[in-house]
Amino acid sequence: MRHTISVLLQNKPGVLSRVTGLFSGRGFNIESLSVAQTLDPEVSCLTLVTSGDDMIIEQITKQLHKLIDAIKVTDMSEHDYVEREMALIRVKAEAHTRAEVLRVIDIFRGKVIDVGPKSYVVEVTGKDSKIQAVIDILRPIGIQEIVRCGTIAMTRAKKS
Amino acid sequence: MKLTGAQAFIKCLEEHGVEVIFGYPGGAIIDIYDELMKCDTVKHVLTRHEQAAVHAADAYGRVKGEVGVALVTSGPGATNAVTGIASAYLDSIPMVVFTGQVPTMLIGNDAFQEVDIVGITRPVTKHNYLVKDAKDLVPTIREAFHLARTGRPGPVLIDLPKDVLATLIKYPEPKPVKMRTYKPTYEPHPGQIEKACLELLKAKRPVIYAGGGVINSNAFEDLTELAKKLNIPVTMTLMGLGGFPGTDSLSLGMLGMHGTYFANMAVANCDYLLAVGSRFDDRVTGRVDAFAPKAKIVHIDIDPASISKNVRVDIPIVADCKHALIAMNTWFDRNKDFDANARVEINRPWHEQIKDWKNKHPLGYVEETDIIKPQFVVQKLHELTGGNAIITTEVGQNQMWAAQFYHFNHPRHFMTSGGLGVMGYGFPAAIGAQMAAPDKVVIDIAGDGSIQMNIQELATARQEKLPVKVAILNNGYLGMVRQWQELFYDKKYSQTVMEVVPDFVKVAEAYGAVGLRATKPSEVEPVIMEALRTDNTVFMDFVVAREEGVYPMVPAGKATTEMLLV
Ligand SMILES: Cc1ncc(C[n+]2csc(CCOP(=O)(O)OP(=O)(O)O)c2C)c(N)n1
Ligand SMILES: [Mg+2]
């Protein structure tokens, strides 16, 4: 099963390689990864998406927790949470396809962020399934390049 | 008053009560060696290879129950140390290793003798550090000692750039280490203890399976108390030997691949398995689904990641083994309904069954009159040292015979490379052990292949005038690999025949040590006696039955009940 795991880490050199080394060394897989500083500049937040059966996920969270630089490990899948991914897509936009591209982007609430003579760069955010859907629809029109970032996630506010 | 980094380093070792360190100098670490020369509190033992320095520090720490310390230079010094660090990591041995590093301004430039040792050792250390700023030096060393010895112990490495050692700093006042992200759990959850105890009262066929955690947490007495109070048979892992008296009637000896028939049968048939400080290693479990299939499994371990890693457990207890065992003992002492005599009655059929297994297939070998059996040598060593020697081993058949036939009655008397299984461990480990326990008899039970991996340490032993004894079970083979080839590769002895073996007697003599040889069973005892009388380093070359095998044996991947017997 797919799990989104969020890890608060001491913001120190080499910490990221401790995390990725743990995954490669133990044969766990990382589907996506994203890291950046939090409000506290000494702490960074790493979000990763991985998959495995319960025993593997339990090992992953325990091993992450065991890292001396890890402050907190949260398996988001045990909580109510929101998650987002972003993609930049360079898509062909010539006279006869421009309108079609704009319409698709509009439906998915994306944005055109760069306009070239024969192409647009569009920005889309959403869950991984939505990004995939945009890509599938734009592909026949002509995608030239895609850059996607890793998933980021946050727990929802507690009701009541 | 300000100190240089190197001076602060020495002062910090003193602050931690470090008396002996093992190492090898070089350009990047020369500042510390310069200070060591003026220092009379910290004794430095010069090994002849950095791997040996780390193994020696490993065994020194194990014998003393303290943190072992090794010191090596940058680049090749550091890479040579890696094997030793990996061995300590897999065996959860408390240790701090210091490596020299090129000056900070050169780091990353592929400078002379620069390697990224922090990167290289990341997967084989509990934690590691590169000290970039001299003011971090002392706090980092304090943190490293704290990490090495607390929680699940392990090696911690600190990389020391040369300029950091020359920088002047103010020595920070000693204060307890506080780490925001690291708080190992020592005390067991009372609810889990109660569950484990209640379940144990229901058990008709209980077994304790004790590992290295029992030794690390000094839980020998508490384990013994629990086993005796409830009349529970105890089996030990390779790392756990000495965690419970090996000659006690409740001892089942070692379990696993080369465990006793009765230990493996007991685990396979028990209805309650108390795993204490052990980690369900594949050499212990064999095929996991056939490991203790009928048992409620209770697992005490300080490392939560060890619990339910390979085998699902029913009652996890995250705690220091000693604390958890004390809690269990107290629970039974306070429980008015608990009746020790009734336990004996309830468990009687189980003990009868175990006795049957013991009688059917005791640990043994086929004795011969004209050729020395390696097991016989180990038995004689046990007998002639009263079972009180500190034994280290190399790796291979020698290691397994030592584990099987030297019945350890005390903790911290058996040093072996269990997890990594590295040939070349035993001799430097014996040197470290002898440094830690000068009045003890220390014997490395060795193979003719393994001893050659660190044979240069004869010089270290001689230089320190250590009366270390090495018993080489000389079969002219890489015996353990040969045994696998015999059993599973049609006896094709590819590259396991030692066509050239040095004359170990002469090698010893070349270093000024004593060499002795036995070629007949009748010579074994006199050779051992003479070695024990000698106040010098001794190599005993026992020319043994060449194709003797280690039995019982559970072929890799098989259930532990599928043993090949003698
Ligand atoms: C450094 C290292 N290299 C290779 C091995 C694989 N290996 C395991 S046992 C063994 C044979 C050891 O031979 P010897 O020391 O003569 O011991 P014996 O089994 O004959 O008692 C080998 C090569 C190892 N454990 N360690
Ligand atoms: Mg051999």
Side-chain angles (χ1 to χ4, degrees):
Chain A
M1 208 185 101
R2 181 177 178 276
H3 286 245
T4 303
I5 296 172
S6 149
V7 192
L8 293 181
L9 293 162
Q10 307 259 43
N11 193 357
K12 285 191 203 154
V15 174
L16 181 58
S17 65
R18 292 188 198 276
V19 175
T20 53
L22 187 157
F23 274 73
S24 58
R26 292 185 180 268
F28 306 142
N29 70 323
I30 300 182
E31 283 165 23
S32 97
L33 178 97
S34 124
V35 210
Q37 191 178 302
T38 60
L39 268 184
D40 178 350
E42 286 184 7
V43 176
S44 53
C45 177
L46 178 148
T47 312
L48 63 85
V49 178
T50 183
S51 53
D53 61 26
D54 289 354
M55 210 146 153
I56 289 177
I57 299 295
E58 185 179 327
Q59 258 305 299
I60 290 177
T61 49
K62 282 175 167 176
Q63 292 292 347
L64 284 169
H65 200 79
K66 201 166 144 180
L67 292 174
I68 305 294
D69 288 324
I71 301 166
K72 191 171 177 213
V73 181
T74 314
D75 181 353
M76 289 297 195
S77 322
E78 290 171 0
H79 301 264
D80 198 8
Y81 73 106
V82 284
E83 66 176 34
R84 286 294 175 269
E85 229 180 78
M86 182 166 93
L88 300 180
I89 306 170
R90 191 189 308 281
V91 59
K92 259 199 224 155
E94 288 163 4
H96 62 288
T97 58
R98 243 172 237 157
E100 172 69 3
V101 170
L102 287 175
R103 196 163 49 242
V104 172
I105 295 311
D106 192 45
I107 293 170
F108 286 94
R109 295 200 216 147
K111 270 191 280 190
V112 175
I113 55 172
D114 184 57
V115 178
K118 288 184 180 162
S119 67
Y120 288 161
V121 176
V122 301
E123 170 199 310
V124 218
T125 60
K127 287 182 60 158
D128 144 83
S129 51
K130 170 174 160 187
I131 310 268
Q132 201 50 54
V134 178
I135 293 169
D136 291 345
I137 292 174
L138 291 180
R139 201 188 301 267
I141 301 174
I143 294 179
Q144 293 170 334
E145 196 183 349
I146 296 181
V147 181
R148 290 171 74 165
C149 77
T151 301
I152 50 173
M154 196 178 262
T155 53
R156 288 181 194 272
K158 293 219 167 59
K159 311 251 159 64
S160 84
Chain B
M1 198 189 74
K2 292 208 163 179
L3 302 178
T4 63
Q7 288 165 339
F9 170 89
I10 305 276
K11 188 163 172 183
C12 200
L13 290 190
E14 289 170 349
E15 181 189 311
H16 288 88
V18 175
E19 289 167 0
V20 179
I21 65 176
F22 302 85
Y24 209 93
I29 199 79
I30 201 164
D31 290 59
I32 288 181
Y33 277 87
D34 192 47
E35 286 304 325
L36 272 172
M37 209 168 176
K38 304 173 208 156
C39 166
D40 47 19
T41 48
V42 180
K43 153 115 191 119
H44 179 274
V45 175
L46 176 70
T47 56
R48 296 306 190 265
H49 191 292
E50 290 86 353
Q51 180 194 350
V54 181
H55 290 329
D58 167 323
Y60 180 88
R62 277 159 92 159
V63 170
K64 285 226 159 191
E66 291 171 7
V67 178
V69 178
L71 177 67
V72 301
T73 193
S74 69
T79 51
N80 269 352
V82 171
T83 301
I85 296 171
S87 181
Y89 180 69
L90 288 169
D91 289 344
S92 308
I93 303 304
M95 178 191 293
V96 178
V97 178
F98 296 95
T99 49
Q101 183 54 283
V102 301
T104 41
M105 54 174 263
L106 287 181
I107 290 177
N109 281 0
D110 299 327
F112 178 63
Q113 295 193 329
E114 179 191 359
V115 294
D116 172 14
I117 197 64
V118 168
I120 290 172
T121 59
R122 202 168 282 134
V124 292
T125 50
K126 181 167 173 183
H127 198 54
N128 58 16
Y129 301 87
L130 165 65
V131 180
K132 277 192 168 156
D133 187 335
K135 76 171 183 349
D136 296 334
L137 175 65
V138 172
T140 304
I141 298 175
R142 286 178 184 152
E143 223 171 84
F145 273 88
H146 178 68
L147 284 176
R149 68 158 79 96
T150 57
R152 177 174 179 175
V156 179
L157 179 139
I158 304 185
D159 203 16
L160 301 167
K162 188 171 161 107
D163 54 324
V164 166
L165 297 174
T167 306
L168 284 173
I169 51 165
K170 194 167 157 286
Y171 191 82
E173 281 303 308
K175 60 170 188 240
V177 176
K178 272 215 190 88
M179 293 177 70
R180 170 180 185 185
T181 59
Y182 174 77
K183 290 180 202 76
T185 309
Y186 278 77
E187 288 306 325
H189 189 285
Q192 295 296 93
I193 292 290
E194 170 139 306
K195 268 195 219 161
C197 292
L198 285 171
E199 223 28 81
L200 181 49
L201 283 180
K202 286 190 220 151
K204 295 201 171 64
R205 304 186 308 277
V207 170
I208 293 175
Y209 144 50
V214 171
I215 314 273
N216 269 338
S217 70
N218 299 313
F220 173 85
E221 269 104 24
D222 314 281
L223 178 68
T224 309
E225 184 186 332
L226 183 72
K228 301 240 152 168
K229 207 192 301 277
L230 282 108
N231 197 31
I232 316 172
V234 181
T235 177
M236 285 156 278
T237 68
L238 184 64
M239 294 303 298
L241 292 174
F244 180 81
T247 54
D248 193 282
S249 61
L250 285 173
S251 171
L252 300 173
M254 184 168 75
L255 81 167
M257 183 174 273
H258 291 297
T260 61
Y261 174 77
F262 36 98
N264 285 335
M265 291 305 282
V267 170
N269 289 286
C270 69
D271 63 354
Y272 181 99
L273 185 73
L274 177 61
V276 194
S278 46
R279 59 185 178 91
F280 299 79
D281 176 88
D282 56 278
R283 285 291 187 265
V284 161
T285 61
R287 219 180 71 215
V288 284
D289 56 307
F291 184 74
K294 303 166 191 162
K296 276 262 184 241
I297 303 182
V298 179
H299 188 187
I300 304 173
D301 206 291
I302 197 154
D303 178 8
S306 274
I307 295 179
S308 290
K309 182 171 70 179
N310 305 331
V311 171
R312 256 283 155 232
V313 311
D314 300 292
I315 307 178
I317 301 177
V318 177
D320 178 79
C321 295
K322 187 179 180 75
H323 292 232
L325 289 168
I326 290 176
M328 286 182 79
N329 281 321
T330 315
W331 191 92
F332 287 108
D333 292 343
R334 289 204 185 133
N335 185 330
K336 293 193 194 60
D337 301 331
F338 170 65
D339 174 357
N341 295 328
R343 289 311 305 166
V344 175
E345 275 316 307
I346 294 169
N347 294 339
R348 192 180 298 281
W350 179 229
H351 284 273
E352 301 277 302
Q353 168 72 78
I354 289 174
K355 203 185 288 163
D356 271 2
W357 283 325
K358 280 190 177 174
N359 290 336
K360 200 161 136 211
H361 295 292
L363 191 60
Y365 59 95
V366 180
E367 288 172 49
E368 284 189 44
T369 48
D370 50 345
I371 182 130
I372 303 175
K373 283 300 185 89
Q375 301 93 329
F376 174 72
V377 175
V378 179
Q379 274 181 335
K380 277 283 162 197
L381 287 170
H382 181 265
E383 183 188 314
L384 298 172
T385 56
N388 290 319
I390 293 179
I391 301 293
T392 69
T393 76
E394 301 296 337
V395 170
Q397 296 182 312
N398 56 84
Q399 179 184 33
M400 291 302 124
W401 286 318
Q404 292 179 330
F405 291 94
Y406 198 100
H407 304 284
F408 297 91
N409 278 332
H410 318 283
R412 303 195 181 279
H413 277 62
F414 182 54
M415 317 288 139
T416 194
S417 173
L420 189 67
V422 53
M423 294 167 69
Y425 172 86
F427 189 26
I431 288 172
Q434 190 82 76
M435 287 300 298
D439 300 330
K440 278 266 179 185
V441 174
V442 178
I443 305 173
D444 171 28
I445 296 181
D448 49 306
S450 301
I451 191 62
Q452 294 183 67
M453 286 223 177
N454 271 319
I455 201 161
Q456 77 287 346
E457 295 309 313
L458 269 164
T460 312
R462 287 284 299 136
Q463 185 161 329
E464 297 300 330
K465 302 197 168 43
L466 299 175
V468 165
K469 313 291 183 263
V470 180
I472 303 171
L473 306 179
N474 188 349
N475 52 16
Y477 279 118
L478 298 175
M480 186 55 95
V481 184
R482 185 208 59 75
Q483 180 173 345
W484 284 48
Q485 289 169 332
E486 173 188 329
L487 295 171
F488 314 116
Y489 293 85
D490 300 330
K491 300 200 177 184
K492 291 196 290 264
Y493 296 157
S494 172
Q495 302 299 318
T496 45
V497 188
M498 298 260 100
E499 281 168 30
V500 174
V501 179
D503 180 332
F504 291 116
V505 172
K506 283 193 185 150
V507 174
E509 286 168 358
Y511 281 90
V514 173
L516 305 169
R517 178 171 294 124
T519 54
K520 297 197 291 274
S522 61
E523 291 165 356
V524 171
E525 182 162 331
V527 161
I528 296 174
M529 288 310 288
E530 186 173 347
L532 292 176
R533 272 196 304 270
T534 308
D535 193 26
N536 191 348
T537 312
V538 183
F539 266 24
M540 294 172 267
D541 183 15
F542 295 104
V543 180
V544 298
R546 292 202 67 196
E547 302 203 354
E548 186 70 10
V550 180
Y551 295 102
M553 176 175 190
V554 179
K558 288 273 167 65
T560 49
T561 46
E562 299 173 68
M563 282 169 273
L564 309 175
L565 298 161
V566 181

